[in-house]
mmCIF file of all heavy atoms in Angstrom:
data_model
loop_
_atom_site.group_PDB
_atom_site.id
_atom_site.type_symbol
_atom_site.label_atom_id
_atom_site.label_comp_id
_atom_site.label_asym_id
_atom_site.label_seq_id
_atom_site.Cartn_x
_atom_site.Cartn_y
_atom_site.Cartn_z
ATOM 1 N N ILE A 28 -8.446 -6.364 -2.387
ATOM 2 C CA ILE A 28 -8.073 -5.364 -1.373
ATOM 3 C C ILE A 28 -9.102 -4.237 -1.425
ATOM 4 O O ILE A 28 -9.439 -3.747 -2.505
ATOM 5 C CB ILE A 28 -6.672 -4.788 -1.660
ATOM 6 C CG1 ILE A 28 -5.615 -5.899 -1.635
ATOM 7 C CG2 ILE A 28 -6.314 -3.704 -0.628
ATOM 8 C CD1 ILE A 28 -4.255 -5.481 -2.183
ATOM 9 N N LEU A 29 -9.587 -3.854 -0.250
ATOM 10 C CA LEU A 29 -10.639 -2.837 -0.213
ATOM 11 C C LEU A 29 -10.063 -1.443 -0.467
ATOM 12 O O LEU A 29 -9.192 -0.973 0.269
ATOM 13 C CB LEU A 29 -11.356 -2.891 1.148
ATOM 14 C CG LEU A 29 -12.695 -2.131 1.219
ATOM 15 C CD1 LEU A 29 -13.643 -2.826 2.171
ATOM 16 C CD2 LEU A 29 -12.504 -0.681 1.642
ATOM 17 N N LEU A 30 -10.536 -0.813 -1.534
ATOM 18 C CA LEU A 30 -10.072 0.535 -1.875
ATOM 19 C C LEU A 30 -10.989 1.612 -1.302
ATOM 20 O O LEU A 30 -10.535 2.670 -0.887
ATOM 21 C CB LEU A 30 -10.035 0.723 -3.393
ATOM 22 C CG LEU A 30 -9.039 -0.077 -4.219
ATOM 23 C CD1 LEU A 30 -9.191 0.289 -5.689
ATOM 24 C CD2 LEU A 30 -7.608 0.164 -3.761
ATOM 25 N N ARG A 31 -12.288 1.362 -1.346
ATOM 26 C CA ARG A 31 -13.222 2.399 -0.937
ATOM 27 C C ARG A 31 -14.568 1.784 -0.578
ATOM 28 O O ARG A 31 -14.974 0.790 -1.154
ATOM 29 C CB ARG A 31 -13.430 3.385 -2.093
ATOM 30 C CG ARG A 31 -14.216 4.613 -1.668
ATOM 31 C CD ARG A 31 -14.098 5.688 -2.721
ATOM 32 N NE ARG A 31 -15.176 5.559 -3.682
ATOM 33 C CZ ARG A 31 -15.582 6.571 -4.473
ATOM 34 N NH1 ARG A 31 -14.989 7.741 -4.420
ATOM 35 N NH2 ARG A 31 -16.565 6.393 -5.331
ATOM 36 N N ARG A 32 -15.231 2.362 0.395
ATOM 37 C CA ARG A 32 -16.603 1.935 0.657
ATOM 38 C C ARG A 32 -17.448 3.173 0.888
ATOM 39 O O ARG A 32 -17.022 4.121 1.546
ATOM 40 C CB ARG A 32 -16.670 0.973 1.851
ATOM 41 C CG ARG A 32 -16.076 1.536 3.086
ATOM 42 C CD ARG A 32 -16.371 0.744 4.325
ATOM 43 N NE ARG A 32 -16.144 1.684 5.428
ATOM 44 C CZ ARG A 32 -15.853 1.347 6.657
ATOM 45 N NH1 ARG A 32 -15.776 0.088 7.000
ATOM 46 N NH2 ARG A 32 -15.664 2.269 7.561
ATOM 47 N N LEU A 40 -23.795 -1.086 1.711
ATOM 48 C CA LEU A 40 -22.556 -0.390 1.356
ATOM 49 C C LEU A 40 -22.196 -0.744 -0.087
ATOM 50 O O LEU A 40 -22.415 -1.877 -0.518
ATOM 51 C CB LEU A 40 -21.389 -0.836 2.254
ATOM 52 C CG LEU A 40 -21.432 -0.547 3.750
ATOM 53 C CD1 LEU A 40 -20.223 -1.208 4.425
ATOM 54 C CD2 LEU A 40 -21.428 0.950 4.021
ATOM 55 N N VAL A 42 -18.945 -1.260 -2.113
ATOM 56 C CA VAL A 42 -17.533 -1.481 -1.798
ATOM 57 C C VAL A 42 -16.757 -1.652 -3.094
ATOM 58 O O VAL A 42 -17.162 -2.429 -3.960
ATOM 59 C CB VAL A 42 -17.370 -2.750 -0.925
ATOM 60 C CG1 VAL A 42 -15.928 -2.901 -0.487
ATOM 61 C CG2 VAL A 42 -18.278 -2.684 0.291
ATOM 62 N N PHE A 44 -13.264 -2.840 -4.690
ATOM 63 C CA PHE A 44 -12.059 -3.633 -4.435
ATOM 64 C C PHE A 44 -11.089 -3.509 -5.598
ATOM 65 O O PHE A 44 -11.513 -3.363 -6.750
ATOM 66 C CB PHE A 44 -12.416 -5.124 -4.322
ATOM 67 C CG PHE A 44 -13.244 -5.495 -3.130
ATOM 68 C CD1 PHE A 44 -14.564 -5.930 -3.289
ATOM 69 C CD2 PHE A 44 -12.718 -5.439 -1.847
ATOM 70 C CE1 PHE A 44 -15.321 -6.303 -2.194
ATOM 71 C CE2 PHE A 44 -13.475 -5.806 -0.744
ATOM 72 C CZ PHE A 44 -14.780 -6.242 -0.919
ATOM 73 N N ARG A 63 -24.361 -5.268 11.937
ATOM 74 C CA ARG A 63 -22.927 -5.289 12.251
ATOM 75 C C ARG A 63 -22.353 -6.697 12.185
ATOM 76 O O ARG A 63 -21.145 -6.887 12.068
ATOM 77 C CB ARG A 63 -22.695 -4.696 13.653
ATOM 78 C CG ARG A 63 -22.944 -3.207 13.720
ATOM 79 C CD ARG A 63 -21.771 -2.438 13.111
ATOM 80 N NE ARG A 63 -22.202 -1.108 12.718
ATOM 81 C CZ ARG A 63 -21.657 -0.392 11.734
ATOM 82 N NH1 ARG A 63 -20.658 -0.881 11.062
ATOM 83 N NH2 ARG A 63 -22.100 0.806 11.437
ATOM 84 N N PHE A 66 -20.367 -9.409 7.792
ATOM 85 C CA PHE A 66 -19.041 -8.901 7.400
ATOM 86 C C PHE A 66 -18.335 -8.147 8.543
ATOM 87 O O PHE A 66 -17.599 -7.196 8.297
ATOM 88 C CB PHE A 66 -19.140 -7.972 6.184
ATOM 89 C CG PHE A 66 -19.854 -8.558 5.004
ATOM 90 C CD1 PHE A 66 -20.988 -7.950 4.486
ATOM 91 C CD2 PHE A 66 -19.385 -9.722 4.407
ATOM 92 C CE1 PHE A 66 -21.648 -8.488 3.385
ATOM 93 C CE2 PHE A 66 -20.044 -10.261 3.307
ATOM 94 C CZ PHE A 66 -21.183 -9.634 2.802
ATOM 95 N N THR A 67 -18.560 -8.558 9.765
ATOM 96 C CA THR A 67 -17.937 -7.875 10.902
ATOM 97 C C THR A 67 -16.429 -7.743 10.751
ATOM 98 O O THR A 67 -15.731 -8.742 10.555
ATOM 99 C CB THR A 67 -18.197 -8.651 12.218
ATOM 100 O OG1 THR A 67 -19.598 -8.794 12.345
ATOM 101 C CG2 THR A 67 -17.654 -7.903 13.421
ATOM 102 N N GLY A 68 -15.941 -6.517 10.855
ATOM 103 C CA GLY A 68 -14.501 -6.260 10.853
ATOM 104 C C GLY A 68 -13.800 -6.570 9.546
ATOM 105 O O GLY A 68 -12.581 -6.515 9.455
ATOM 106 N N LEU A 69 -14.578 -6.912 8.520
ATOM 107 C CA LEU A 69 -13.946 -7.322 7.265
ATOM 108 C C LEU A 69 -13.856 -6.178 6.263
ATOM 109 O O LEU A 69 -12.857 -6.045 5.560
ATOM 110 C CB LEU A 69 -14.737 -8.473 6.626
ATOM 111 C CG LEU A 69 -14.666 -9.799 7.370
ATOM 112 C CD1 LEU A 69 -15.704 -10.763 6.818
ATOM 113 C CD2 LEU A 69 -13.276 -10.407 7.241
ATOM 114 N N LEU A 70 -14.885 -5.347 6.227
ATOM 115 C CA LEU A 70 -14.937 -4.315 5.189
ATOM 116 C C LEU A 70 -14.305 -3.019 5.672
ATOM 117 O O LEU A 70 -14.879 -1.942 5.595
ATOM 118 C CB LEU A 70 -16.390 -4.101 4.730
ATOM 119 C CG LEU A 70 -17.082 -5.355 4.190
ATOM 120 C CD1 LEU A 70 -18.496 -5.043 3.737
ATOM 121 C CD2 LEU A 70 -16.280 -5.991 3.059
ATOM 122 N N GLU A 71 -13.092 -3.141 6.191
ATOM 123 C CA GLU A 71 -12.337 -1.979 6.668
ATOM 124 C C GLU A 71 -11.368 -1.540 5.575
ATOM 125 O O GLU A 71 -10.940 -2.363 4.766
ATOM 126 C CB GLU A 71 -11.552 -2.349 7.934
ATOM 127 C CG GLU A 71 -12.410 -2.785 9.110
ATOM 128 C CD GLU A 71 -13.316 -1.673 9.608
ATOM 129 O OE1 GLU A 71 -12.897 -0.501 9.556
ATOM 130 O OE2 GLU A 71 -14.456 -1.972 10.020
ATOM 131 N N PRO A 72 -10.989 -0.264 5.587
ATOM 132 C CA PRO A 72 -10.051 0.202 4.571
ATOM 133 C C PRO A 72 -8.755 -0.623 4.565
ATOM 134 O O PRO A 72 -8.246 -0.970 5.633
ATOM 135 C CB PRO A 72 -9.743 1.644 5.003
ATOM 136 C CG PRO A 72 -10.919 2.047 5.817
ATOM 137 C CD PRO A 72 -11.419 0.801 6.485
ATOM 138 N N PHE A 73 -8.291 -0.923 3.401
ATOM 139 C CA PHE A 73 -6.992 -1.587 3.128
ATOM 140 C C PHE A 73 -6.950 -3.071 3.502
ATOM 141 O O PHE A 73 -5.898 -3.683 3.389
ATOM 142 C CB PHE A 73 -5.803 -0.887 3.812
ATOM 143 C CG PHE A 73 -5.969 0.601 3.992
ATOM 144 C CD1 PHE A 73 -5.873 1.194 5.245
ATOM 145 C CD2 PHE A 73 -6.245 1.412 2.904
ATOM 146 C CE1 PHE A 73 -6.036 2.564 5.419
ATOM 147 C CE2 PHE A 73 -6.411 2.788 3.064
ATOM 148 C CZ PHE A 73 -6.301 3.367 4.330
ATOM 149 N N THR A 74 -8.057 -3.659 3.962
ATOM 150 C CA THR A 74 -7.992 -5.087 4.282
ATOM 151 C C THR A 74 -7.875 -5.900 2.994
ATOM 152 O O THR A 74 -8.418 -5.548 1.954
ATOM 153 C CB THR A 74 -9.240 -5.590 5.034
ATOM 154 O OG1 THR A 74 -10.397 -5.153 4.336
ATOM 155 C CG2 THR A 74 -9.280 -5.101 6.457
ATOM 156 N N ALA A 75 -7.118 -6.994 3.100
ATOM 157 C CA ALA A 75 -7.023 -7.937 1.984
ATOM 158 C C ALA A 75 -7.914 -9.124 2.316
ATOM 159 O O ALA A 75 -7.769 -9.747 3.373
ATOM 160 C CB ALA A 75 -5.578 -8.386 1.793
ATOM 161 N N LEU A 76 -8.837 -9.405 1.429
ATOM 162 C CA LEU A 76 -9.858 -10.421 1.679
ATOM 163 C C LEU A 76 -9.862 -11.453 0.555
ATOM 164 O O LEU A 76 -9.242 -11.250 -0.490
ATOM 165 C CB LEU A 76 -11.248 -9.763 1.720
ATOM 166 C CG LEU A 76 -11.441 -8.574 2.667
ATOM 167 C CD1 LEU A 76 -12.740 -7.862 2.343
ATOM 168 C CD2 LEU A 76 -11.441 -9.047 4.107
ATOM 169 N N MET A 96 -11.085 -13.105 5.739
ATOM 170 C CA MET A 96 -9.878 -12.295 5.913
ATOM 171 C C MET A 96 -8.654 -12.998 5.360
ATOM 172 O O MET A 96 -8.412 -14.164 5.631
ATOM 173 C CB MET A 96 -9.682 -12.005 7.410
ATOM 174 C CG MET A 96 -8.578 -11.030 7.700
ATOM 175 S SD MET A 96 -8.903 -9.378 7.024
ATOM 176 C CE MET A 96 -10.038 -8.716 8.260
ATOM 177 N N GLU A 98 -5.499 -10.734 4.998
ATOM 178 C CA GLU A 98 -4.583 -9.948 5.836
ATOM 179 C C GLU A 98 -5.336 -8.701 6.314
ATOM 180 O O GLU A 98 -5.776 -7.914 5.491
ATOM 181 C CB GLU A 98 -3.363 -9.500 5.028
ATOM 182 C CG GLU A 98 -2.247 -10.508 4.923
ATOM 183 C CD GLU A 98 -1.548 -10.797 6.238
ATOM 184 O OE1 GLU A 98 -1.663 -9.978 7.195
ATOM 185 O OE2 GLU A 98 -0.895 -11.838 6.322
ATOM 186 N N PRO A 99 -5.452 -8.487 7.603
ATOM 187 C CA PRO A 99 -6.179 -7.288 8.052
ATOM 188 C C PRO A 99 -5.382 -5.987 7.910
ATOM 189 O O PRO A 99 -5.969 -4.917 7.824
ATOM 190 C CB PRO A 99 -6.467 -7.581 9.524
ATOM 191 C CG PRO A 99 -5.449 -8.587 9.938
ATOM 192 C CD PRO A 99 -5.089 -9.371 8.713
ATOM 193 N N PHE A 100 -4.065 -6.075 7.879
ATOM 194 C CA PHE A 100 -3.209 -4.881 7.838
ATOM 195 C C PHE A 100 -3.667 -3.857 8.888
ATOM 196 O O PHE A 100 -3.741 -2.641 8.615
ATOM 197 C CB PHE A 100 -3.195 -4.253 6.438
ATOM 198 C CG PHE A 100 -2.598 -5.118 5.361
ATOM 199 C CD1 PHE A 100 -3.245 -5.276 4.143
ATOM 200 C CD2 PHE A 100 -1.384 -5.763 5.551
ATOM 201 C CE1 PHE A 100 -2.688 -6.071 3.139
ATOM 202 C CE2 PHE A 100 -0.826 -6.566 4.550
ATOM 203 C CZ PHE A 100 -1.492 -6.715 3.347
ATOM 204 N N ALA A 101 -3.987 -4.361 10.077
ATOM 205 C CA ALA A 101 -4.603 -3.521 11.112
ATOM 206 C C ALA A 101 -3.649 -2.463 11.662
ATOM 207 O O ALA A 101 -4.083 -1.419 12.152
ATOM 208 C CB ALA A 101 -5.107 -4.402 12.253
ATOM 209 N N ARG A 104 -4.133 1.061 10.116
ATOM 210 C CA ARG A 104 -5.237 1.891 10.618
ATOM 211 C C ARG A 104 -4.975 2.386 12.041
ATOM 212 O O ARG A 104 -5.639 3.296 12.523
ATOM 213 C CB ARG A 104 -6.567 1.120 10.548
ATOM 214 C CG ARG A 104 -6.954 0.776 9.117
ATOM 215 C CD ARG A 104 -8.356 0.195 9.042
ATOM 216 N NE ARG A 104 -8.504 -1.022 9.810
ATOM 217 C CZ ARG A 104 -8.132 -2.227 9.402
ATOM 218 N NH1 ARG A 104 -7.594 -2.382 8.216
ATOM 219 N NH2 ARG A 104 -8.305 -3.281 10.168
#
Side-chain angles (χ1 to χ4, degrees):
I28 300 168
L29 194 148
L30 293 180
R31 189 166 91 159
R32 56 168 200 204
L40 296 175
V42 186
F44 293 112
R63 290 283 159 208
F66 307 121
T67 304
L69 291 168
L70 302 181
E71 299 296 326
F73 330 124
T74 49
L76 307 167
M96 188 64 79
E98 276 293 341
F100 296 133
R104 297 188 300 279

